[in-house]
């Protein structure tokens, strides 16, 4: 109407319920993740949800399926968890008769599965092709070694042609080998080999995250590197020593010690070292103006990516946290900020814009 009005903060902070749509459950498949977790996945009649066509959704685990009494043929309600991952919420119309059973063997390699915590089942075979594929995809991802051009389709092609069997094999690929594959020309082959070579000099926290240690994300990988300085020190650290890191607990510490003690992991790290992959950590800090300060990021910033903002905070001695608490000093908020902004307002925590944040770093 041509009228300009100031939008109240409560309106900006309010998060509308996630969109839900109905569709038919046609079948159930079981997928194996990089840690061996076997997850049921719903095969759905295609339906549009939040701007994209959804054909499959997660069913979480066996207990979830039993609790909801989900059967093949039912009409189910789905949504995107975190606005990203499609998931089945519940059954809205019971018309299915297809009962499916949870597999007692890995659907990919046939190894007997084991029941783990949280009603999950896992394939214990680290040589399972599905685990190898997903571990390489994870290793090359942006948050990990960030190997430009190494997408899942390329990883699949390299595995099918027996050019690689693990992430270490990436570092012995040649341009000539790649040019023998379909759809690879000299330029694309050269670019991929150069991207792999470039990843050797990545910061150690990227490598630690890329190794796929259970329960260890990007932030905790960085904390490990801050504490121990190089990969050898992390590998020789005890549970008690790792537990001294703020934000770590028994489960995370046990995951690190167990994963890095496995013969397959030790052999992988030995090979990565032999190919020249960086295993030492260099902490870059400009000054300590943010020392003792905790920032929480929420929403989409105008120019900075979230990882870039975190890097700036750490370069000035500060800490980036994922949740708002009384210990939070600043909330850096962008567009579509959600519940973190609301909680910060309730606690009276200073909320700053990207420009205000950048002014603080001058």
């Amino acid at each position: 109407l041509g009228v300009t009005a100031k939008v109240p903060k409560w309106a900006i902070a309010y998060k509308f319920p996630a969109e839900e749509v109905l569709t038919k459950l046609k079948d159930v498949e079981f997928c194996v993740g990089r840690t061996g977790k076997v997850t049921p996945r719903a095969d759905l009649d295609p339906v549009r949800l939040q701007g994209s066509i959804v054909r499959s959704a997660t069913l979480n685990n066996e207990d979830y399926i039993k609790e909801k009494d989900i059967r093949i043929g039912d009409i189910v309600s789905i949504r995107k968890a975190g606005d990203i991952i499609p998931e089945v919420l519940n059954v809205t119309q019971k018309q299915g008769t297809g009962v499916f059973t949870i597999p007692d063997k890995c659907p990919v390699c046939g190894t007997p599965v084991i029941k783990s915590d949280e009603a999950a089942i896992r394939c214990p075979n680290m040589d399972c092709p599905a685990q190898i594929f997903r571990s390489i995809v994870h290793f090359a991802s942006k948050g990990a070694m960030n190997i430009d051009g190494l997408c899942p389709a390329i990883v699949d092609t390299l595995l099918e042609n027996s050019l690689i069997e693990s992430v270490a094999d990436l570092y012995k690929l040649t341009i000539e080998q790649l040019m023998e594959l379909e759809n690879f020309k000299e330029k694309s082959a050269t670019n991929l080999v150069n991207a792999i070579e470039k990843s050797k000099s990545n910061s150690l926290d990227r490598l630690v995250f890329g190794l796929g240690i259970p329960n260890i994300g990007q932030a905790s990988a960085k904390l490990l590197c801050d504490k121990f300085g190089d990969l050898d020190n992390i590998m020789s650290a005890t549970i008690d020593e790792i537990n001294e890191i703020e934000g770590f607990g028994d489960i995370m510490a046990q995951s690190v010690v167990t994963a890095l003690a496995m013969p397959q992991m030790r052999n992988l790290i030995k090979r990565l070292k032999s190919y020249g992959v960086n295993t030492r950590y260099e902490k870059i800090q400009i000054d300590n103006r943010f020392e003792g300060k905790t920032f929480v990021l929420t929403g989409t910033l105008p120019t900075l990516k979230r990882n870039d903002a975190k890097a700036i905070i750490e370069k000035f001695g500060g800490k980036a946290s994922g949740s708002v608490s009384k210990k939070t000093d600043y909330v850096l908020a962008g567009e579509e900020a959600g519940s973190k902004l609301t909680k910060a307002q309730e606690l009276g925590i200073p909320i700053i814009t990207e420009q205000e944040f950048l002014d603080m770093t001058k």
Side-chain angles (χ1 to χ4, degrees):
L1 298 176
V3 178
T4 302
K6 186 177 180 181
V7 180
K9 286 185 177 180
W10 65 264
I12 297 173
Y14 183 78
K15 191 171 181 67
F16 289 93
E19 179 185 349
E20 298 176 20
V21 295
L22 304 182
T23 186
K24 184 177 181 178
L25 174 61
K26 298 194 300 182
D27 201 357
V28 174
E29 300 174 346
F30 291 88
C31 306
V32 184
R34 63 180 173 84
T35 62
K37 185 177 179 180
V38 181
T39 307
R41 184 178 66 185
D43 181 15
L44 307 167
D45 274 341
V47 62
R48 179 169 290 276
L49 175 61
Q50 292 181 230
S52 63
I53 301 298
V54 174
R55 293 180 172 83
S56 62
T58 180
L59 285 165
N60 294 310
N61 54 48
E62 181 180 4
D63 287 356
Y64 187 84
I65 294 169
K66 289 180 177 178
E67 178 190 340
K68 305 287 185 181
D69 191 25
I70 300 171
R71 302 192 179 195
I72 297 171
D74 285 343
I75 303 300
V76 296
S77 172
I78 66 169
R79 71 174 178 185
K80 287 187 177 179
D83 295 330
I84 299 174
I85 302 172
E87 66 173 353
V88 174
L89 281 178
N90 48 55
V91 177
T92 60
Q93 185 178 338
K94 295 295 299 180
Q95 63 180 41
T97 56
V99 179
F100 54 91
T101 57
I102 304 298
D104 56 3
K105 293 182 179 180
C106 173
V108 177
C109 68
T111 302
V113 299
I114 56 175
K115 188 77 174 282
S116 62
D117 57 340
E118 300 178 357
I121 57 173
R122 295 183 184 276
C123 169
N125 178 20
M126 290 189 67
D127 294 323
C128 174
Q131 292 186 55
I132 292 172
F133 167 75
R134 295 195 180 278
S135 67
I136 296 172
V137 170
H138 171 74
F139 185 85
S141 65
K142 286 187 177 181
M145 296 299 275
N146 193 24
I147 302 177
D148 190 32
L150 192 58
C151 63
I154 298 297
V155 173
D156 194 38
T157 298
L158 295 174
L159 288 168
E160 282 188 355
N161 287 273
S162 301
L163 290 181
I164 59 173
E165 293 181 353
S166 73
V167 296
D169 293 329
L170 294 171
Y171 294 97
K172 65 178 185 178
L173 285 173
T174 66
I175 295 173
E176 291 73 24
Q177 286 177 316
L178 294 175
M179 286 181 63
E180 292 179 3
L181 302 176
E182 189 177 358
N183 298 326
F184 264 100
K185 303 298 181 184
E186 184 175 0
K187 183 177 181 180
S188 57
T190 301
N191 288 343
L192 180 54
V193 169
N194 288 342
I196 294 171
E197 182 67 25
K198 181 182 176 182
S199 73
K200 290 181 180 180
S201 58
N202 279 342
S203 178
L204 176 60
D205 57 298
R206 285 183 169 272
L207 174 60
V208 172
F209 176 59
L211 291 175
I213 301 170
N215 303 307
I216 300 301
Q218 291 173 269
S220 46
K222 191 170 184 62
L223 290 173
L224 278 169
C225 296
D226 283 336
K227 169 76 172 178
F228 296 106
D230 67 45
L231 190 51
D232 286 338
N233 289 341
I234 297 174
M235 291 171 69
S236 60
T238 65
I239 292 176
D240 289 340
E241 288 172 333
I242 297 172
N243 255 334
E244 292 175 0
I245 302 173
E246 184 181 354
F248 269 69
D250 289 338
I251 294 176
M252 293 172 68
Q254 183 67 61
S255 290
V256 174
V257 171
T258 300
L260 295 181
M262 298 181 78
Q264 299 96 324
M265 182 70 82
R266 297 245 165 183
N267 182 55
L268 172 61
I269 291 171
K270 182 179 179 180
R271 291 187 62 202
L272 290 172
K273 285 182 179 180
S274 71
Y275 291 126
V277 177
N278 174 50
T279 58
R280 296 188 63 81
Y281 186 64
E282 183 180 352
K283 186 175 181 179
I284 301 173
Q285 186 168 325
I286 299 172
D287 62 45
N288 61 352
R289 70 183 69 181
F290 292 158
E291 186 175 355
K293 303 293 183 184
T294 299
F295 291 74
V296 171
L297 284 66
T298 181
T300 304
L301 300 175
T303 62
L304 289 174
K305 292 181 179 179
R306 189 164 294 197
N307 284 342
D308 295 334
K310 287 181 179 179
I312 293 172
I313 292 167
E314 290 164 358
K315 284 179 182 178
F316 288 101
K319 175 185 174 184
S321 175
S323 58
V324 177
S325 70
K326 291 181 180 179
K327 295 182 179 180
T328 304
D329 294 286
Y330 298 99
V331 170
L332 175 52
E335 293 183 4
E336 299 181 8
S339 58
K340 293 178 184 178
L341 177 61
T342 305
K343 187 169 183 180
Q345 291 168 337
E346 292 172 351
L347 295 174
I349 295 168
I351 299 166
I352 58 174
T353 64
E354 180 187 285
Q355 188 55 56
E356 290 171 323
F357 171 69
L358 293 174
D359 289 342
M360 293 167 70
T361 66
K362 289 181 180 178

